[in-house]
Structures are given as structure tokens and as C-alpha cells.
Amino acid sequence: MNPFSSETRLRDMIRAIRACKTAAEERAVVRKECASIRAAISDNDNDYRHRNLAKLMFIHMLGYPTHFGQMECLKLIAASGFPEKRIGYLGLMLLLDERQEVLMLVTNSLKQDLNHTNQYIVGLALCALGNISSAEMARDLAPEVERLLQFRDPNVRKKAALCSIRIIKKVPDLAENFVNPVASLLKEKHHGVLLTAIQLCADLCTVSEEALEYFRKKCTEGLVKVLKDAVNSPYAPEYDISGIADPFLQIRLLRILRILGHGDADASELMNDVLAQVATKTESNKNAGNAILYECVETIMSIEDSGGLRVLAINILGRFLSNRDNNIRYVALNMLMKAISVDGQAVQRHRATILECVKDLDASIRKRALELVYLLVNETNVKPLTKELIDYLEVSDQDFKGDLTAKICSIVEKLSPEKLWYIDQMLKVLCEAGNYVKDEVWHGLIVVITNAPNLHGYTVRSLYRAIQTSGDQEAVVRVAVWCIGEYGDLLVNNIGMLDLEEPITVTENDAVDVIEVAIKRHTSDLTTRAMCLTALLKLSSRFPSCSQRIKDIVNQSKGSLLLELQQRSIEFDSIIEKHKNIRSALVERMPVLDEATYSGRRAGSLPAAVSTSQGNPLHIPNGVPKAADAPLLDLLDLSADEPAPQNSSGPNFLQDLLGGDILSSASQSGTTQPQKSGTDALLDLLSTGAPPAQNGSSTVDIFSISQDNNKTSVNALDSLSLPVVTSAQSSSASSIIDLLDGFGPAPTVPKDNGPAYPPLVAFESSSLSIVFNFSKQPGSPQITQIEATFSNKSSDVYTDFIFQAAVPKFLQLHLEPASSNTLPGNGNGSITQKLRVTNNQHGKKSLVMRIRISYKLNNKEILEEGQISNFPRDL
Amino acid sequence: MIHFVLSISRQGKVRLTKWYSPYSQKERIKVIRELSGMILTRGPKLCNVVEWRGFKVVYRRYAGLYFCMCINQEDNELEILEIIQYFVETLNRYFGTVCELDLIFHFHKTYYILDEILIAGELQESSKKIVHRLIDAQDLLVEAAKEKENTVSYIVAQVAN
């Protein structure tokens, strides 16, 4: 006979599985066994059904799929005998969970069993219902359970009480039905019933305010008395745990008193005595006693104030904290965290012990202690505590460093008494664990550095030293590179020496060395390398004698596979080589970053914005015009805010600076003027994707924004010669990648002029141009009607002309049919097509669109694509 | 509330799982794997609580077997240690110096006992005597049914002969 047919006994199967030497062997045995069980199931074998189910449960525990056995559970439950039901319910609880549809099928059997005459069968059904009931079942069977709360046998009543907990958790509206039965259960003597009734009572109080009020009025006194009796009860072996009578009951009583006493002075008053009794009389040399004390302390902390009791509680915690048992210490740390809001002073007294716990071997204790220390730090103790923590950082576990640095940084940031101290501490943290800090941390450090002008020299020198010793910590490298770029001259000339500093001799070449090492380090990531390039550009102006060397280093990145680095190095190279006259102005020192804005942003958790404000190189253009607002900021070192809304002083400002000539020359510049050399970085830099400058508005935009933020750009503007600006104006808004694309919104039309927008040249190539005309219906500002006019500048006819457009999710686009699909040459006619765009984020985001035009020229397919991001801002 | 009870051997073999909160089959396997990794590697003198996904898992080791219970942050971990002890003592009394093999070959009985101690993730009974009485009574019912079956089948067999 096959030893693995369904005739095998459970014991034999388990033996066979245990005898397997490899996982593959085990799988084979299980597979065979499952096959025979399946066969038995399809044969509807009654005799061995319970045995098969038991086997399935074992197989299930090993982690194999057993869903095919689910129906067997239902069949066994529906059988009449107790043994079948017992194994059936066990299987049900083990193999199914509340989310399976099959479970619904068992509702009817459950209902019958809940009404069964055999109390053990009722018990099985209650147990199953309590463990895996779904909301639907809970609703259907609640009346049965409610009735069973009054069943003659206490062992059924206690099961029904716990089952009710599940029911009210699933369906909180049913709570009120249980309030009265529970009130009578709370008067019972049977411990099991009391335990479960108290638990149910606690759960009722959390789901229903009315229930809480009811129990508070009716039951507080009685429960206090029960606790008193329990505390004073004589030795009862049945409930005794290491010399304490039923700690489980005492703990639950303390817990319910906590709920009832919380926020109610009268109820709290009633329980004062008994709490004092528990706190003083309970033995604390065994775990059970400590569990009660722990619960008691928590109750004392939660109920209404009674000074004497709180002193008692804090003393207990003090004892816990010095206990040698790790569990007790862990619990004490947990409790002290809650106690801190009640009596911070008392907790402060244990600071030294808590600090020791931060260095414990046990990760659970360390974590708790660290959180507690974090709460304990204040202005007066921040310096010694931070020192302790930073000292510990050196020797702490690798996997604890992340948590620890985050907390130290947060403490230092929150409570630093002066900037010098802040910078010093942060440098220490970065040197120890620069690879563990989050980006916000070093971003924040840079903000603070820019805000401390008298410390610039000191900081850059400290960083120079730090990078020598801790060059493997990414965050140190980044901050150092940034600062050397900014304040390289202070480093070399020892400017701004503080008294406590030792002078160091750093040559210009040394400073460049640091950055060269950083950019070449293979572990440096894109952000660091990009920052290095920017720093090099800055140094090329600060250290003219190193200019050639820097240019060589920058050039090495020209071949980088990372688009970002490649583009940056090409641009910077071009600036270093060809535009010496504006370079020094371009790379002026960063303006002071606004701390308030920074922290405000961070509070609003806008990481993207934060990194922009940091001039985070990742936001530098990577060839996608729509990301182009960061680049200008970065190149001109305007760090800060998002492009400010155009302000009215813009045009005046421009006129002041450039005089009317420019405006007129700008207005002459037409769209058809041939584009100047596209490789010229500066042209690129200043070419605008804006409506071709008929009114010079794009320039206004750029520089008015600049003005908003920073004087540097004013300088930059000063040094721009007139022709440059003009040619910049004239460069057409074609699809070349223009850095300033995002900055060239069409002129803002004053609101009172109604919805009138100038036409926009949306696309322009040598052969094709598209002009958008906008109109809005009054009353629906979010909808924009666009009339697109396509004209053909070549001499050939385009056939099969198709225009397609795509928009991001916050927009909806409706395209109407075009007026024709043939576009005659030489501008002898045009196609028009209407688009309707609905902007769901009107006022917050402006329109943006990707377009694709396909047509046939002499039967040859031609495809053109582009992106339009220079829509008028308030569409 | 206890979200689940696990019993894992030192080799990472699962000996008992009881879920009072819904976890899908996939999640269960993941939870077990995660927790075995955390708990089995802990040194002997460390505290019996690990923090995991915002919950606390209280565990206690008996010879080669770890009993773990997952509870909420605000629950009393010292009490859970006592509940584990209470459960193990009950097993001990039922099997008579329980060992891992008892829990393997009589796993269903282990579950029956657990079901007399916990329902819906809450403690049901604090008296050791009552739990035994209830288990014994139910075992008797099963025995009686078996005997009855045996006699009936005996009679049937007799008749058939």
C-alpha cells in the first residue's frame, strides 16, 4: 500500500516530513500528501475528512498553499458530532481569515452552533467567531452573542464577552446593545467572566462616549472595590503567580480605572486610595508584581492630578530604571516618556541614567532611551547632552547611527544657542556619520552658514580640515565643496580669523586639489560631482591664476555619460573661456539664504522646494526645458525662491537699466530673424522660449525676477552689452533647448483687462510655425480656448497634416477637428484647429503641452515634436 | 490586544501561528521571516521586547523554542510575558513536561489550549484549573464519540458477518 495515501495517519505524515533532509524532499512529500488529500476531497470521503484536515493544517503551518481544503472545514463544522466540529473550527481559524468570501458560508452553521444545547459546541462557535469574524458575520450573529452573555455557564459567558469585543470592533454601532449586559457581568465573582467583562467594558468605552459616561457613573465604585478585594485577597493557588493573586485581573482593573478616571476628578478621587495601596503594597521582586506596578504607574499618570500619588509613581519608575532586569528598564524608559509631560522636572533627575541607557547593548533599550533623551534636552542642558551623544556616535553600532544622527541634528538645530556652536556640532556629526544624515540636514547647515557672514572664513577652514580627515563622508564633501566654491578666497587668505583658530596655510592650488579629489572620487554621486563643477566655476573667477587648471578639470567631465555633468561642464567651459567679462559677476557669492523660508518650507515638507533653495544641482537643466527654472537660479547663483510673480517694478527697472533703446530694438526683432549660433552658451543662456520679444517682456521677466532675489543678476545685467541682449531677444522661440524657457512667460496682462492674451508662437522651425490664440469664456477661468494656426514657410505643400497634443494630468485637453489636412506652401494659407484646455489647478500651475506634428512632404513622412511651456502664466 | 501569537524554533521552524488581526497568507510568511530574523539573533541577556513596524513583539525563550506575541505600543509587555508563561505552564501540565516534539505531533492540541486562553487577542481565563477542566471535558467528549463509533462499527461488522 502507498504509504502516503490518505490512509496515512497524521503522525506518520509528520514523521515523513521531519525525516526529509532537504527542502526539495520535503516539497515532494507534501506534494504527494496534498495530492492524496485532494483525491479524498473529490471522492467526498467522510471517514478521513478530519484526519485530512489535520494534515492540511500541518502543511499550512509549513507555509504551503492549502486553499483547496477550505471547504472541508465547512463540511466538518456542519457535521453533527463534537470531534468533527472541533477540528473543523480549528481548521477554519487556521486556514481562513476574515477577508475570504468562503467565510460567509459558515454563518449559518455558526448560528446553529451558537444555539446548540452542548455548551462546548457553543464555546467552539464563540471562539471561532471571536477570532475571525468579519463585519457582516458580526452584524448577523450579534443577537446570539448578546444572549449568550447571560448563559448559565460562566465559561460560555466569558467567551461571549470576548466575542463581543470583536463584534463592536467590527461594527461599532452595535456597542450600545452590550452596555447593560456588561454592567451586570462586572458584578460577577468568576475571574474569567470578570477579566473578559472588564476588557469588553474598556473597548466599549473607546468606541462610545455614552458608554464611558455610563460606566463611569455606575461602575467606578464597584470596580474600585473589586480591586481592593483582589489586592487583599488571601493566597489562592488557582490564581497565584509568584505570590501575587491573579495579576491579570489586577492589571485589567487598573486599566479600566485608568479609562474611567481619565479627565474626571470625581472618579479619580474614588480610586486614589486603592491606587496608593497597589503602589505601595505590591511586591516588586518578580515580573508579575512589576507588571502590576507598571500598570498602576500608568493609571496614576493618566487620572486627574493627585500630587502625592504622582511622587509615588515617579519613585517607582526611578526604581525600575536602576533595576538590573532589562525588561524593567525598557518599560521604565517607556513610562518616563509619558511622565515627561506630567512632571518633566522629576524625569530630568534621571538624565544621567537615561543617557547611559542610550549606550546599552540592547537595541530596544537604546532606541527608547534615545527618544527619551531627545525629549529631555532643553536650552540649559543642550551642550553637555549633545557632547555626550556625539562622543557616543563614534563608537555606536552602524545600524544605530542613522537614528542617532537624525536625533542629534534635530536637537542641535532646535536648541543651538549660537551659530558657531551649531556649525561646530554639525561638522562633528558630519565627520562621524556624514553618510547617514539626510539631505535636509546638510541643506540646513548651508543655510545657517550663509546666514553667518562673520563665520564664513572660520567655517570654510574647518571644512577644509574636515575633508582632509573625513573625505569618505559624502555630506562632509558636499558641504565642503560648496563652501570652498563660495568662500575659497577666505580660505586661502585666512580672512575672518577667530581668536580660537589656528592659522593654516592653504594655497589656491590646494583648494582646487580638494575639489578635484572630490570630483574624481569614484564614490561621489551625481549631486556631489555637479556641486564640484559649480564650485570649480566659482573658483575659476576667485583664483584667476588657477583658471587654466580648473578649465582642464571641468573639461574632463565633457565626456561624462551623465547628461547633467556633461551639459554643465560644456556650459561652464564656455563661460570660463569666452565670457571672462561677465564671469566674475555670474559667480558672485550666494546671497544670504532666508532661514525662515527654508525652515518654513521644510515644515511644509516640500523637499523639492528645499532643494531648489539650496541650488541643488539635481535641479539643473538636463535638457528638458520645463525644468528650466532652476538653472538660471543656479547659474546666476540666485538661490532662493521660486520665480517670484512678476512685479510691477519690472518694466521700470529694465527701462532704468537699459534705456528705451533696448525696448525699441527688442520690439523690432522679429521671429523670422535667423537664429544666432546656437552653441554659444551665453546665447543659449539668455535665449527665451517666450513669445518672441515683441514687447521685450521676456527680458523684463528674467531680470525682474533677478531683481527680486538678488543683486548679483543686476551686476550680470550691467555687464551685458547691448548687442548681446538684442541677439538674445532675436533668437527665436524654437525648440532648441533653452535654459531660460521657464522664465519667459508672456507678459502678464492686468486682470482688469479681462481675459485677453497675446498670441503665442507655440512652435517654430525653418519650415513650420504654429501660433496659438487664446480666449477665455467669462465665468470659467479654468477653461482656455486655443485656436492654433499652422503655417507652412517652405515652398512645398504638406499633405496628411496631423497635429497632436498631450498634457499632464492636471489638465484636460479637447481637440476639435482641424480645418483641413493639407497645408499649402509659402504661407499661402493656413490650417486652424481649436483646442480646449481645462486647467484643474488654475492659478497654481500654468499650462504646459507636448505637441507632435506629422505630415507628408512629397510622400515622405515627417514628424516634428516639441514642448510648449511658455504659456501665459494665468491660463 | 494581541495581534498574533507565534512559536518558532531556534532553527526558524514555525511551530504555532495564531492570527487575531487579518494578515494575508503572503504577509504572514513575511512577518514570520522578519521576526525570526530579529528575534532569533538577539543575545540572551537582552530585554524580551523588540519594536517592529510600530508594534511591540514580546518573546520568551523556552529551551529551543521562542514564543512571541505582538501587541500595541500602549500594551503592558510585562503582562504579556506572564501570559506566555501561563500558556507554557498550561501546556506543560497538559503534556507533562512538554517538549518541542509534543507541540509538533500534537499541534492541534496546542491550538485547543491556546483557544481556551485567548480569544480575539484578549485573555480569557486566569485560572489554570479551569482551563484544564475545560480541555479535559472536551477531550472526553471526543473519546466518547470515538468509542461510540467503534462500538457501532463493531456491531455493523458483526452484522455484516
Side-chain angles (χ1 to χ4, degrees), chain A residues 20-40:
Chain A
C20 294
K21 294 218 168 45
T22 63
E25 248 179 86
E26 180 184 294
R27 275 198 297 277
V29 173
V30 169
R31 207 165 35 234
K32 237 176 190 171
E33 198 61 53
C34 283
S36 74
I37 295 173
R38 276 173 199 265

Side-chain angles (χ1 to χ4, degrees), chain A residues 10-12 14-15 18 26 54-55 57-58 60-64 82-84 86-87 90 93-99 118-120 123-124 126-127 130-132 153 155 158-159 162-163 165-166 169-170 190-193 195-196 199 203 237-242 246-249 251-252 255 258 287-288 290-292 294-295 298 320 325-328 330-331 334 338 360-365 367-368 371, chain B residues 1-2 13-25 27-29 32 42 44-52 54-56 58-60 72-86 89 94 100-101 103-131 133-146 149:
Chain A
L10 173 64
R11 171 177 291 269
D12 298 331
I14 296 175
R15 273 208 191 107
R18 281 173 56 79
E26 180 184 294
K55 285 182 189 170
M57 284 189 261
F58 190 82
H60 175 90
M61 267 204 293
L62 298 175
Y64 295 93
F82 178 80
E84 287 82 8
R86 197 184 194 195
I87 196 105
L90 184 59
M93 289 186 280
L94 211 56
L95 305 186
L96 275 78
D97 71 68
E98 60 178 286
R99 285 172 300 196
N118 183 332
Q119 62 154 335
Y120 296 107
L124 288 178
L126 279 172
C127 182
N131 285 347
I132 59 161
D153 188 294
N155 293 316
K158 73 184 187 198
K159 285 191 163 77
L162 290 183
C163 198
I165 293 179
R166 175 98 183 183
K169 274 186 185 158
K170 293 283 161 201
H190 189 281
H191 284 213
V193 177
L195 278 181
T196 53
Q199 194 57 53
D203 281 295
E238 192 177 349
Y239 298 106
D240 184 78
I241 291 181
S242 45
D246 207 342
F248 300 120
L249 181 61
I251 286 169
R252 273 170 188 66
R255 202 175 292 157
R258 169 158 86 239
N287 181 59
N290 284 325
I292 295 177
Y294 174 38
E295 203 70 41
E298 196 156 351
F320 274 20
D325 184 343
N326 276 339
N327 289 324
I328 308 291
Y330 174 82
V331 162
N334 248 333
K338 292 180 191 160
D360 202 276
L361 276 175
D362 189 329
S364 300
I365 290 186
K367 198 164 166 231
R368 280 282 140 238
E371 263 159 46
Chain B
M1 172 193 178
I2 298 166
K13 292 262 183 213
V14 181
R15 296 302 178 212
L16 174 131
T17 59
K18 187 87 182 173
W19 309 85
Y20 298 103
S21 291
Y23 288 86
S24 72
Q25 195 58 35
E27 286 167 328
R28 290 178 183 186
I29 292 172
I32 293 171
R42 278 174 70 87
K45 287 223 169 127
L46 306 184
C47 74
N48 296 59
V49 187
V50 288
E51 293 182 21
W52 168 81
F55 297 107
K56 291 191 286 202
V58 182
Y59 69 93
R60 198 158 186 164
N72 291 329
Q73 276 297 342
E74 68 273 8
D75 289 341
N76 186 335
E77 47 281 68
L78 299 182
E79 188 207 2
I80 298 296
L81 282 175
E82 288 302 323
I83 294 182
I84 295 176
Q85 173 72 16
Y86 173 53
E89 273 177 28
Y94 181 81
E100 199 180 331
L101 284 181
L103 304 192
I104 296 169
F105 284 100
H106 304 283
F107 69 91
H108 49 292
K109 303 214 163 143
T110 318
Y111 281 104
Y112 294 146
I113 292 172
L114 186 59
D115 281 341
E116 288 301 329
I117 293 175
L118 297 176
I119 289 182
E122 302 288 354
L123 186 70
Q124 179 186 175
E125 181 57 72
S126 56
S127 155
K128 298 158 211 167
K129 222 166 75 188
I130 294 182
V131 171
R133 226 184 52 217
L134 290 172
I135 292 286
D136 289 345
Q138 293 178 69
D139 283 352
L140 270 177
L141 274 179
V142 176
E143 286 303 316
K146 243 187 210 162
E149 195 178 82

